[in-house]
Amino acid sequence: MYFVVSQRPVHIELNVDSPRAPCRIATGDERHLDDLREYLDVACARPEIAAALRHAGVAKEVLIAALTEKSGGVWLYVHYALKEIENGQRDLEHLDDLPAGLWSFYAQQCNTTREADPERWEHYDLPILGSLGIDVVRFRASGHGTG
């Protein structure tokens, strides 16, 4: 039996009795990006994503290239972006509007949430982000959390 364990590049002690073979995966490694593109190619066949591509008149290769570039190779970004496409929350006609990087993706999601219900944002969502350790002052200073 094999386990693949992933973590951010910080030291966390992992106690195992069996042999380990750590392997670093660099975000910009072409093998990593090839895996991501292959995953996206398969994801483009999902019914909701295929329908969104047809509706927008966008070739899957264009979506794959945009998500690979804007995500910087970060799979979590791609996961969330695909969910937005599947749920009809992301317009494929404006792929240039995809934020660059996971931080900007999160900021865009927060802005959308804030704009949809400013009172809920101020009294519920923003305090939760703060309690989770999100630097609310930095977030606001970056122009993302201001009303």
Side-chain angles (χ1 to χ4, degrees):
M1 179 180 298
Y2 294 94
F3 291 94
V4 176
V5 180
S6 176
Q7 73 178 44
R8 298 194 43 86
V10 294
H11 178 73
I12 297 176
E13 193 65 39
L14 177 63
N15 297 316
V16 293
D17 295 327
S18 58
R20 293 180 11 182
C23 173
R24 288 199 179 272
I25 301 173
T27 305
D29 185 313
E30 273 306 313
R31 295 169 298 172
H32 171 73
L33 296 175
D34 287 343
D35 289 343
L36 184 61
R37 285 187 280 266
E38 185 177 328
Y39 171 79
L40 285 166
D41 186 57
V42 171
C44 285
R46 293 182 197 164
E48 296 87 355
I49 296 174
L53 286 165
R54 279 191 307 276
H55 177 74
V58 173
K60 73 176 182 176
E61 293 80 11
V62 173
L63 176 61
I64 291 169
L67 286 177
T68 301
E69 177 190 342
K70 296 289 189 161
S71 72
V74 176
W75 287 71
L76 192 56
Y77 179 113
V78 169
H79 169 77
Y80 286 132
L82 290 174
K83 283 296 176 199
E84 286 186 351
I85 294 167
E86 288 176 316
N87 295 334
Q89 298 168 310
R90 176 72 59 183
D91 182 1
L92 295 184
E93 294 175 3
H94 302 286
L95 289 173
D96 291 341
D97 294 341
L98 279 167
L102 191 57
W103 168 257
S104 295
F105 191 90
Y106 285 151
Q108 189 179 72
Q109 287 182 323
C110 287
N111 282 335
T112 301
T113 301
R114 178 184 48 81
E115 290 166 2
D117 188 344
E119 189 164 324
R120 175 190 159 96
W121 170 258
E122 194 64 36
H123 298 291
Y124 181 73
D125 297 322
L126 193 59
I128 287 175
L129 289 175
S131 71
L132 293 173
I134 305 301
D135 187 342
V136 174
V137 173
R138 182 173 155 232
F139 185 73
R140 283 187 167 158
S142 69
H144 294 297
T146 58

